[in-house]
Amino acid sequence: MTARIYLSSPDVTDAEEQALVRAIRSGWVAPLGPEVDAFEAELADYCGRAHAVALSSGTAALHLGLLVLGVGPGDLVATSTMTFAATANAITYTGAEPVFVDCDESGNMDAGLLMDALSQARAEGRRVTAVVPVDLHGKVVDHGAIGAVAAEHRIPVLSDAAESLGARRDGRPSGAFGAAAAVSFNGNKIMTTSGGGALLTDDAAQAGRVRYLATQARQPFVHYEHTEVGYNYRLSNILAALGRAQLLRLEDMVERRRQHRLRYRQMFADVPGVRLLGEPSGADGGATRDNFWLTSILVEPKAAGFTSEELRLALAAADIEARPVWKPMHLQPVFATRRAYVDGTSQRLFETGLSLPSGSALTDAQIGRIDAAIAQFLSRLNVVA
Ligand SMILES: Cc1ncc(COP(=O)(O)O)c(C=O)c1O
């Protein structure tokens, strides 16, 4: 029996094992310690930021990022509807309401619809305290366009870069955009600490406040003194060691995922009605480059002669995981009553989109198996001669 192929499995090697052993042998097993300090410095440097605060998840980074930007109960926060629930959940934790904005064909937030959302809120006298655009599947948002709309309304941008670490746009790395940015080291992300995240900022006071809130808002006294409600959101020293080893391999992991993208491009090149989401994805070595976290295809059933669901089932039968792209937040029952500025694009991407196995740990043999399963599916349909 062959092993199941997953969408995006962690990619860990001897280097990670050695880093974990180093951290344990150092005696710094409790939260915080030298690995956390070094990881924060290395991550900030990689992302072109003055400060990084390592946290227990990307969701925690979004939550604290919103709090330090002054988001609170009764506020509105404009965000991408095409995202994972964590973005909207973090907004909700603060007591603010998410306002969902549709994407363009790239999958990222549409600047024109953002303008509509902010203008209407202003006309109604509602306070929008932050804009949180999401870098879908590893493509950095057009921060020129989104930032200009946000700046016109004097609203800070918190970049949800959970999926895009390692990508760049116009020469600037993912994580460098906006007043602050949140990244994730969840197990399915391009690099992992098994679970973790970070807030990136250039503002020392902001970074200090995030650190303070993330350590139970503990005041600097010998005894335990608290004047505010805090959170237990810090990353442990052991997990930071894992993160450091992964960060050293990040460029290689991006390159491996890029190779998968090229392979998928080839597989579907002659299939009518199928295109890759988020293409073009930037040339290697160029100023703009996706991190290729997930490769997803969009299937127009009439032209293709099959649906994305039929392909998903065929792959599942071959023990290969594929998944629909995110179901937009405005279509989720939990957020159905929230404001939404949508034109049907994200719904179409959800209905026609399928994410394919993209992990950097995929072996050549596994990619060969995926290729064969797709070729067999297409040949059964007579899609390709
Ligand atoms: C767009 C987006 N935002 C936020 C998160 C949350 O990150 P985490 O799982 O580390 O809390 C994720 C992934 O999980 C994500 O894909």
PDB file of all heavy atoms in Angstrom, residues 56-60 62 83-84 86-87 134-135 160 162-163 183-186 188-189 195-197 293 326, ligand 1:
ATOM      1  N   SER A  56       2.461  32.335  19.923  1.00  0.00           N
ATOM      2  CA  SER A  56       2.017  30.937  19.896  1.00  0.00           C
ATOM      3  C   SER A  56       1.258  30.565  18.629  1.00  0.00           C
ATOM      4  O   SER A  56       1.055  29.384  18.363  1.00  0.00           O
ATOM      5  CB  SER A  56       1.148  30.650  21.122  1.00  0.00           C
ATOM      6  OG  SER A  56       0.083  31.575  21.169  1.00  0.00           O
ATOM      7  N   SER A  57       0.796  31.541  17.855  1.00  0.00           N
ATOM      8  CA  SER A  57       0.107  31.245  16.591  1.00  0.00           C
ATOM      9  C   SER A  57       0.002  32.512  15.745  1.00  0.00           C
ATOM     10  O   SER A  57       0.177  33.635  16.252  1.00  0.00           O
ATOM     11  CB  SER A  57      -1.310  30.705  16.849  1.00  0.00           C
ATOM     12  OG  SER A  57      -2.139  31.720  17.368  1.00  0.00           O
ATOM     13  N   GLY A  58      -0.332  32.301  14.482  1.00  0.00           N
ATOM     14  CA  GLY A  58      -0.612  33.445  13.606  1.00  0.00           C
ATOM     15  C   GLY A  58      -1.871  34.161  14.054  1.00  0.00           C
ATOM     16  O   GLY A  58      -1.982  35.385  13.935  1.00  0.00           O
ATOM     17  N   THR A  59      -2.823  33.410  14.574  1.00  0.00           N
ATOM     18  CA  THR A  59      -4.071  34.013  15.063  1.00  0.00           C
ATOM     19  C   THR A  59      -3.768  34.963  16.223  1.00  0.00           C
ATOM     20  O   THR A  59      -4.326  36.066  16.302  1.00  0.00           O
ATOM     21  CB  THR A  59      -5.046  32.904  15.519  1.00  0.00           C
ATOM     22  OG1 THR A  59      -5.123  31.918  14.497  1.00  0.00           O
ATOM     23  CG2 THR A  59      -6.423  33.461  15.789  1.00  0.00           C
ATOM     24  N   ALA A  60      -2.876  34.532  17.128  1.00  0.00           N
ATOM     25  CA  ALA A  60      -2.474  35.392  18.248  1.00  0.00           C
ATOM     26  C   ALA A  60      -1.805  36.662  17.722  1.00  0.00           C
ATOM     27  O   ALA A  60      -2.031  37.761  18.249  1.00  0.00           O
ATOM     28  CB  ALA A  60      -1.528  34.628  19.170  1.00  0.00           C
ATOM     29  N   LEU A  62      -2.350  38.130  14.832  1.00  0.00           N
ATOM     30  CA  LEU A  62      -3.400  39.009  14.300  1.00  0.00           C
ATOM     31  C   LEU A  62      -4.146  39.694  15.443  1.00  0.00           C
ATOM     32  O   LEU A  62      -4.399  40.906  15.409  1.00  0.00           O
ATOM     33  CB  LEU A  62      -4.393  38.196  13.461  1.00  0.00           C
ATOM     34  CG  LEU A  62      -3.899  37.740  12.086  1.00  0.00           C
ATOM     35  CD1 LEU A  62      -4.856  36.705  11.502  1.00  0.00           C
ATOM     36  CD2 LEU A  62      -3.763  38.925  11.131  1.00  0.00           C
ATOM     37  N   THR A  83     -10.303  34.128   2.704  1.00  0.00           N
ATOM     38  CA  THR A  83      -9.263  33.835   3.683  1.00  0.00           C
ATOM     39  C   THR A  83      -9.690  32.659   4.541  1.00  0.00           C
ATOM     40  O   THR A  83     -10.809  32.164   4.427  1.00  0.00           O
ATOM     41  CB  THR A  83      -8.976  35.065   4.578  1.00  0.00           C
ATOM     42  OG1 THR A  83      -7.879  34.763   5.446  1.00  0.00           O
ATOM     43  CG2 THR A  83     -10.173  35.458   5.443  1.00  0.00           C
ATOM     44  N   PHE A  84      -8.781  32.252   5.417  1.00  0.00           N
ATOM     45  CA  PHE A  84      -9.082  31.252   6.431  1.00  0.00           C
ATOM     46  C   PHE A  84      -9.783  31.969   7.597  1.00  0.00           C
ATOM     47  O   PHE A  84      -9.529  33.153   7.838  1.00  0.00           O
ATOM     48  CB  PHE A  84      -7.772  30.612   6.888  1.00  0.00           C
ATOM     49  CG  PHE A  84      -7.915  29.595   7.983  1.00  0.00           C
ATOM     50  CD1 PHE A  84      -8.763  28.509   7.828  1.00  0.00           C
ATOM     51  CD2 PHE A  84      -7.204  29.725   9.166  1.00  0.00           C
ATOM     52  CE1 PHE A  84      -8.893  27.563   8.842  1.00  0.00           C
ATOM     53  CE2 PHE A  84      -7.328  28.785  10.179  1.00  0.00           C
ATOM     54  CZ  PHE A  84      -8.176  27.704  10.018  1.00  0.00           C
ATOM     55  N   ALA A  86      -9.352  32.227  10.613  1.00  0.00           N
ATOM     56  CA  ALA A  86      -8.541  32.848  11.668  1.00  0.00           C
ATOM     57  C   ALA A  86      -8.531  34.373  11.556  1.00  0.00           C
ATOM     58  O   ALA A  86      -8.537  35.066  12.580  1.00  0.00           O
ATOM     59  CB  ALA A  86      -7.112  32.315  11.594  1.00  0.00           C
ATOM     60  N   THR A  87      -8.505  34.904  10.332  1.00  0.00           N
ATOM     61  CA  THR A  87      -8.430  36.363  10.158  1.00  0.00           C
ATOM     62  C   THR A  87      -9.681  37.014  10.753  1.00  0.00           C
ATOM     63  O   THR A  87      -9.591  37.961  11.539  1.00  0.00           O
ATOM     64  CB  THR A  87      -8.337  36.717   8.655  1.00  0.00           C
ATOM     65  OG1 THR A  87      -7.493  35.784   7.993  1.00  0.00           O
ATOM     66  CG2 THR A  87      -7.838  38.122   8.449  1.00  0.00           C
ATOM     67  N   VAL A 134      -5.241  39.982   3.072  1.00  0.00           N
ATOM     68  CA  VAL A 134      -4.629  38.651   3.247  1.00  0.00           C
ATOM     69  C   VAL A 134      -3.857  38.256   1.984  1.00  0.00           C
ATOM     70  O   VAL A 134      -4.382  38.383   0.870  1.00  0.00           O
ATOM     71  CB  VAL A 134      -5.734  37.606   3.521  1.00  0.00           C
ATOM     72  CG1 VAL A 134      -5.158  36.200   3.608  1.00  0.00           C
ATOM     73  CG2 VAL A 134      -6.499  37.959   4.783  1.00  0.00           C
ATOM     74  N   ASP A 135      -2.638  37.773   2.157  1.00  0.00           N
ATOM     75  CA  ASP A 135      -1.803  37.306   1.029  1.00  0.00           C
ATOM     76  C   ASP A 135      -2.212  35.885   0.675  1.00  0.00           C
ATOM     77  O   ASP A 135      -1.642  34.914   1.207  1.00  0.00           O
ATOM     78  CB  ASP A 135      -0.323  37.310   1.422  1.00  0.00           C
ATOM     79  CG  ASP A 135       0.212  38.702   1.717  1.00  0.00           C
ATOM     80  OD1 ASP A 135      -0.439  39.691   1.344  1.00  0.00           O
ATOM     81  OD2 ASP A 135       1.295  38.783   2.321  1.00  0.00           O
ATOM     82  N   ASP A 160      -2.040  40.434   6.792  1.00  0.00           N
ATOM     83  CA  ASP A 160      -2.115  39.015   7.159  1.00  0.00           C
ATOM     84  C   ASP A 160      -1.236  38.253   6.166  1.00  0.00           C
ATOM     85  O   ASP A 160      -1.653  37.886   5.073  1.00  0.00           O
ATOM     86  CB  ASP A 160      -3.559  38.500   7.127  1.00  0.00           C
ATOM     87  CG  ASP A 160      -3.642  37.041   7.586  1.00  0.00           C
ATOM     88  OD1 ASP A 160      -2.615  36.357   7.587  1.00  0.00           O
ATOM     89  OD2 ASP A 160      -4.761  36.596   7.924  1.00  0.00           O
ATOM     90  N   ALA A 162       0.200  35.368   6.817  1.00  0.00           N
ATOM     91  CA  ALA A 162       0.316  34.000   7.359  1.00  0.00           C
ATOM     92  C   ALA A 162       0.741  32.996   6.297  1.00  0.00           C
ATOM     93  O   ALA A 162       1.462  32.046   6.583  1.00  0.00           O
ATOM     94  CB  ALA A 162      -1.015  33.572   7.971  1.00  0.00           C
ATOM     95  N   GLU A 163       0.287  33.229   5.058  1.00  0.00           N
ATOM     96  CA  GLU A 163       0.528  32.235   4.003  1.00  0.00           C
ATOM     97  C   GLU A 163       1.701  32.603   3.093  1.00  0.00           C
ATOM     98  O   GLU A 163       2.006  31.854   2.171  1.00  0.00           O
ATOM     99  CB  GLU A 163      -0.759  32.077   3.152  1.00  0.00           C
ATOM    100  CG  GLU A 163      -1.935  31.593   3.980  1.00  0.00           C
ATOM    101  CD  GLU A 163      -3.254  31.503   3.217  1.00  0.00           C
ATOM    102  OE1 GLU A 163      -3.260  31.680   1.977  1.00  0.00           O
ATOM    103  OE2 GLU A 163      -4.287  31.258   3.862  1.00  0.00           O
ATOM    104  N   VAL A 183       2.554  36.693  10.721  1.00  0.00           N
ATOM    105  CA  VAL A 183       2.926  35.480   9.986  1.00  0.00           C
ATOM    106  C   VAL A 183       2.582  34.261  10.841  1.00  0.00           C
ATOM    107  O   VAL A 183       2.405  34.379  12.056  1.00  0.00           O
ATOM    108  CB  VAL A 183       4.427  35.455   9.580  1.00  0.00           C
ATOM    109  CG1 VAL A 183       4.719  36.520   8.552  1.00  0.00           C
ATOM    110  CG2 VAL A 183       5.340  35.599  10.785  1.00  0.00           C
ATOM    111  N   SER A 184       2.459  33.101  10.179  1.00  0.00           N
ATOM    112  CA  SER A 184       2.082  31.869  10.881  1.00  0.00           C
ATOM    113  C   SER A 184       3.125  30.780  10.650  1.00  0.00           C
ATOM    114  O   SER A 184       3.661  30.650   9.551  1.00  0.00           O
ATOM    115  CB  SER A 184       0.729  31.379  10.347  1.00  0.00           C
ATOM    116  OG  SER A 184       0.502  30.029  10.728  1.00  0.00           O
ATOM    117  N   PHE A 185       3.373  30.004  11.699  1.00  0.00           N
ATOM    118  CA  PHE A 185       4.246  28.828  11.582  1.00  0.00           C
ATOM    119  C   PHE A 185       3.462  27.565  11.912  1.00  0.00           C
ATOM    120  O   PHE A 185       3.972  26.608  12.495  1.00  0.00           O
ATOM    121  CB  PHE A 185       5.456  28.954  12.516  1.00  0.00           C
ATOM    122  CG  PHE A 185       6.162  30.272  12.424  1.00  0.00           C
ATOM    123  CD1 PHE A 185       6.314  31.070  13.547  1.00  0.00           C
ATOM    124  CD2 PHE A 185       6.651  30.734  11.209  1.00  0.00           C
ATOM    125  CE1 PHE A 185       6.947  32.298  13.471  1.00  0.00           C
ATOM    126  CE2 PHE A 185       7.286  31.959  11.118  1.00  0.00           C
ATOM    127  CZ  PHE A 185       7.436  32.747  12.256  1.00  0.00           C
ATOM    128  N   ASN A 186       2.185  27.582  11.542  1.00  0.00           N
ATOM    129  CA  ASN A 186       1.333  26.401  11.695  1.00  0.00           C
ATOM    130  C   ASN A 186       1.953  25.231  10.918  1.00  0.00           C
ATOM    131  O   ASN A 186       2.695  25.454   9.960  1.00  0.00           O
ATOM    132  CB  ASN A 186      -0.061  26.766  11.152  1.00  0.00           C
ATOM    133  CG  ASN A 186      -1.057  25.660  11.343  1.00  0.00           C
ATOM    134  OD1 ASN A 186      -1.125  24.739  10.544  1.00  0.00           O
ATOM    135  ND2 ASN A 186      -1.814  25.725  12.402  1.00  0.00           N
ATOM    136  N   ASN A 188       0.984  23.403   8.615  1.00  0.00           N
ATOM    137  CA  ASN A 188       0.756  23.297   7.163  1.00  0.00           C
ATOM    138  C   ASN A 188       1.406  24.442   6.384  1.00  0.00           C
ATOM    139  O   ASN A 188       1.298  24.488   5.162  1.00  0.00           O
ATOM    140  CB  ASN A 188      -0.751  23.246   6.855  1.00  0.00           C
ATOM    141  CG  ASN A 188      -1.463  24.557   7.144  1.00  0.00           C
ATOM    142  OD1 ASN A 188      -0.843  25.522   7.592  1.00  0.00           O
ATOM    143  ND2 ASN A 188      -2.751  24.598   6.898  1.00  0.00           N
ATOM    144  N   LYS A 189       2.077  25.356   7.071  1.00  0.00           N
ATOM    145  CA  LYS A 189       2.614  26.531   6.391  1.00  0.00           C
ATOM    146  C   LYS A 189       3.981  26.241   5.752  1.00  0.00           C
ATOM    147  O   LYS A 189       4.536  25.163   5.917  1.00  0.00           O
ATOM    148  CB  LYS A 189       2.720  27.701   7.376  1.00  0.00           C
ATOM    149  CG  LYS A 189       1.352  28.210   7.833  1.00  0.00           C
ATOM    150  CD  LYS A 189       0.556  28.804   6.694  1.00  0.00           C
ATOM    151  CE  LYS A 189      -0.782  29.364   7.119  1.00  0.00           C
ATOM    152  NZ  LYS A 189      -1.773  28.344   7.458  1.00  0.00           N
ATOM    153  N   GLY A 195       3.530  24.818  15.756  1.00  0.00           N
ATOM    154  CA  GLY A 195       2.452  25.780  15.961  1.00  0.00           C
ATOM    155  C   GLY A 195       3.128  27.055  16.406  1.00  0.00           C
ATOM    156  O   GLY A 195       4.007  27.011  17.280  1.00  0.00           O
ATOM    157  N   GLY A 196       2.784  28.170  15.801  1.00  0.00           N
ATOM    158  CA  GLY A 196       3.430  29.418  16.195  1.00  0.00           C
ATOM    159  C   GLY A 196       3.126  30.520  15.205  1.00  0.00           C
ATOM    160  O   GLY A 196       2.446  30.293  14.194  1.00  0.00           O
ATOM    161  N   GLY A 197       3.592  31.696  15.523  1.00  0.00           N
ATOM    162  CA  GLY A 197       3.392  32.844  14.634  1.00  0.00           C
ATOM    163  C   GLY A 197       4.256  33.986  15.112  1.00  0.00           C
ATOM    164  O   GLY A 197       5.011  33.837  16.085  1.00  0.00           O
ATOM    165  N   TRP A 293       3.099  28.677  -1.814  1.00  0.00           N
ATOM    166  CA  TRP A 293       2.672  27.854  -0.670  1.00  0.00           C
ATOM    167  C   TRP A 293       1.690  26.768  -1.121  1.00  0.00           C
ATOM    168  O   TRP A 293       1.884  25.602  -0.823  1.00  0.00           O
ATOM    169  CB  TRP A 293       2.043  28.734   0.425  1.00  0.00           C
ATOM    170  CG  TRP A 293       1.484  27.926   1.544  1.00  0.00           C
ATOM    171  CD1 TRP A 293       2.163  27.009   2.292  1.00  0.00           C
ATOM    172  CD2 TRP A 293       0.144  27.914   2.030  1.00  0.00           C
ATOM    173  NE1 TRP A 293       1.314  26.443   3.224  1.00  0.00           N
ATOM    174  CE2 TRP A 293       0.081  26.974   3.086  1.00  0.00           C
ATOM    175  CE3 TRP A 293      -1.018  28.628   1.693  1.00  0.00           C
ATOM    176  CZ2 TRP A 293      -1.095  26.723   3.794  1.00  0.00           C
ATOM    177  CZ3 TRP A 293      -2.178  28.377   2.403  1.00  0.00           C
ATOM    178  CH2 TRP A 293      -2.209  27.434   3.435  1.00  0.00           C
ATOM    179  N   TRP A 326     -10.290  28.233  -0.013  1.00  0.00           N
ATOM    180  CA  TRP A 326     -11.079  28.720   1.135  1.00  0.00           C
ATOM    181  C   TRP A 326     -12.509  29.070   0.727  1.00  0.00           C
ATOM    182  O   TRP A 326     -12.723  29.738  -0.287  1.00  0.00           O
ATOM    183  CB  TRP A 326     -10.466  29.991   1.742  1.00  0.00           C
ATOM    184  CG  TRP A 326      -9.051  29.900   2.223  1.00  0.00           C
ATOM    185  CD1 TRP A 326      -8.046  30.765   1.912  1.00  0.00           C
ATOM    186  CD2 TRP A 326      -8.480  28.953   3.147  1.00  0.00           C
ATOM    187  NE1 TRP A 326      -6.890  30.405   2.565  1.00  0.00           N
ATOM    188  CE2 TRP A 326      -7.131  29.297   3.323  1.00  0.00           C
ATOM    189  CE3 TRP A 326      -8.975  27.846   3.828  1.00  0.00           C
ATOM    190  CZ2 TRP A 326      -6.268  28.582   4.152  1.00  0.00           C
ATOM    191  CZ3 TRP A 326      -8.123  27.126   4.645  1.00  0.00           C
ATOM    192  CH2 TRP A 326      -6.789  27.503   4.802  1.00  0.00           C
TER     193      TRP A 326
HETATM  194  C1  LIG B   1      -4.663  33.616   5.997  1.00  0.00           C
HETATM  195  C2  LIG B   1      -4.412  33.029   7.357  1.00  0.00           C
HETATM  196  N1  LIG B   1      -4.478  33.842   8.419  1.00  0.00           N
HETATM  197  C3  LIG B   1      -4.247  33.396   9.662  1.00  0.00           C
HETATM  198  C4  LIG B   1      -3.904  32.073   9.891  1.00  0.00           C
HETATM  199  C5  LIG B   1      -3.741  31.621  11.304  1.00  0.00           C
HETATM  200  O1  LIG B   1      -2.504  31.121  11.621  1.00  0.00           O
HETATM  201  P1  LIG B   1      -2.353  30.057  12.817  1.00  0.00           P
HETATM  202  O2  LIG B   1      -2.904  28.761  12.366  1.00  0.00           O
HETATM  203  O3  LIG B   1      -0.882  30.040  13.065  1.00  0.00           O
HETATM  204  O4  LIG B   1      -3.105  30.612  13.994  1.00  0.00           O
HETATM  205  C6  LIG B   1      -3.813  31.186   8.797  1.00  0.00           C
HETATM  206  C7  LIG B   1      -3.438  29.757   8.899  1.00  0.00           C
HETATM  207  O5  LIG B   1      -3.663  28.975   9.710  1.00  0.00           O
HETATM  208  C8  LIG B   1      -4.088  31.679   7.501  1.00  0.00           C
HETATM  209  O6  LIG B   1      -4.044  30.859   6.438  1.00  0.00           O
END
